Amino acid sequence: MEPFINEYEYTFDVISEGITACWHNKYNLRKGYVLSGILFLLILFVCLYEKKWGFLAIELLPLLLILFFYNKVKVAVKLEQERMKVIFPDSAPVLRVEIGEDICMITPKAETRVQFSDVEDIIETKNLIVLMVKGMMTVMLDKRGFKQGDANQCMKYIKGHFTK
């Protein structure tokens, strides 16, 4: 079997989409946002029903929780973007990911190999396939960047080797 080969520019858009997906997946932020919204409405309902306006200050807690996690995601994205500016000051690097017997990520400065057994989760976004690897590491593949194979075949192959 020939390996899947994926090449793409590691731009700010890719960083933003990939890291946001990782945070939302790892910490289940969508569920947290929904639960915080429900808590907000419940507190509001109790305050209106009991006519105890002093409890309205508690309304800020779910909103602050939502803002806290939203900010954490933005900070994580910004940190990765700043790292890339420092490591590659002239332009966005072109990353190459080869998937065969293992996963090989090649940057202009390093080559990293990862075993399928180290993959903890697979996230699919609009433009990316993101592999969550042990140690909070990610391997991203741009769905449009396949030089050999395609995104659907690659997902089937990865899922066939993926064990949770």
Side-chain angles (χ1 to χ4, degrees):
M1 188 216 119
E2 290 190 28
F4 292 94
I5 297 175
N6 185 269
E7 286 185 355
Y8 63 96
E9 272 191 60
Y10 194 54
T11 63
F12 287 172
D13 291 338
V14 171
I15 292 169
S16 181
E17 184 175 340
I19 291 184
T20 300
C22 292
W23 272 76
H24 279 266
N25 183 64
K26 182 163 178 70
Y27 297 108
N28 205 354
L29 293 184
R30 284 187 180 85
K31 184 178 178 183
Y33 292 157
V34 169
L35 291 175
S36 293
I38 290 170
L39 181 59
F40 176 85
L41 293 174
L42 184 64
I43 293 170
L44 181 63
F45 176 74
V46 169
C47 289
L48 293 174
Y49 184 74
E50 295 290 326
K51 297 192 189 307
K52 296 201 178 191
W53 309 116
F55 287 120
L56 280 177
I58 296 173
E59 285 280 77
L60 294 176
L61 293 177
L63 293 176
L64 289 174
L65 186 64
I66 290 170
L67 288 173
F68 173 76
F69 280 110
Y70 179 80
N71 189 50
K72 291 290 272 181
V73 172
K74 291 296 178 193
V75 167
V77 168
K78 187 175 179 182
L79 275 172
E80 181 65 11
Q81 290 172 340
E82 287 174 355
R83 283 186 195 118
M84 288 303 105
K85 279 184 192 176
V86 169
I87 297 170
F88 302 100
D90 297 330
S91 64
V94 174
L95 302 185
R96 180 181 175 101
V97 180
E98 297 175 1
I99 298 178
E101 294 300 314
D102 61 3
I103 302 160
C104 180
M105 192 166 94
I106 303 163
T107 69
K109 301 210 181 223
E111 180 177 313
T112 305
R113 291 196 174 274
V114 176
Q115 301 301 315
F116 284 104
S117 59
D118 293 327
V119 175
E120 294 180 332
D121 206 353
I122 304 165
I123 306 166
E124 191 170 1
T125 68
K126 180 182 175 188
N127 300 309
L128 301 173
I129 298 169
V130 183
L131 306 178
M132 299 288 296
V133 182
K134 290 178 184 173
M136 284 292 289
M137 188 173 117
T138 60
V139 176
M140 295 182 213
L141 301 132
D142 190 321
K143 290 180 180 178
R144 300 160 296 192
F146 280 92
K147 303 292 183 199
Q148 203 166 292
D150 66 35
N152 291 330
Q153 292 172 334
C154 187
M155 277 296 289
K156 287 178 188 173
Y157 184 79
I158 292 169
K159 286 180 178 179
H161 286 78
F162 177 66
T163 56
K164 249 188 179 178

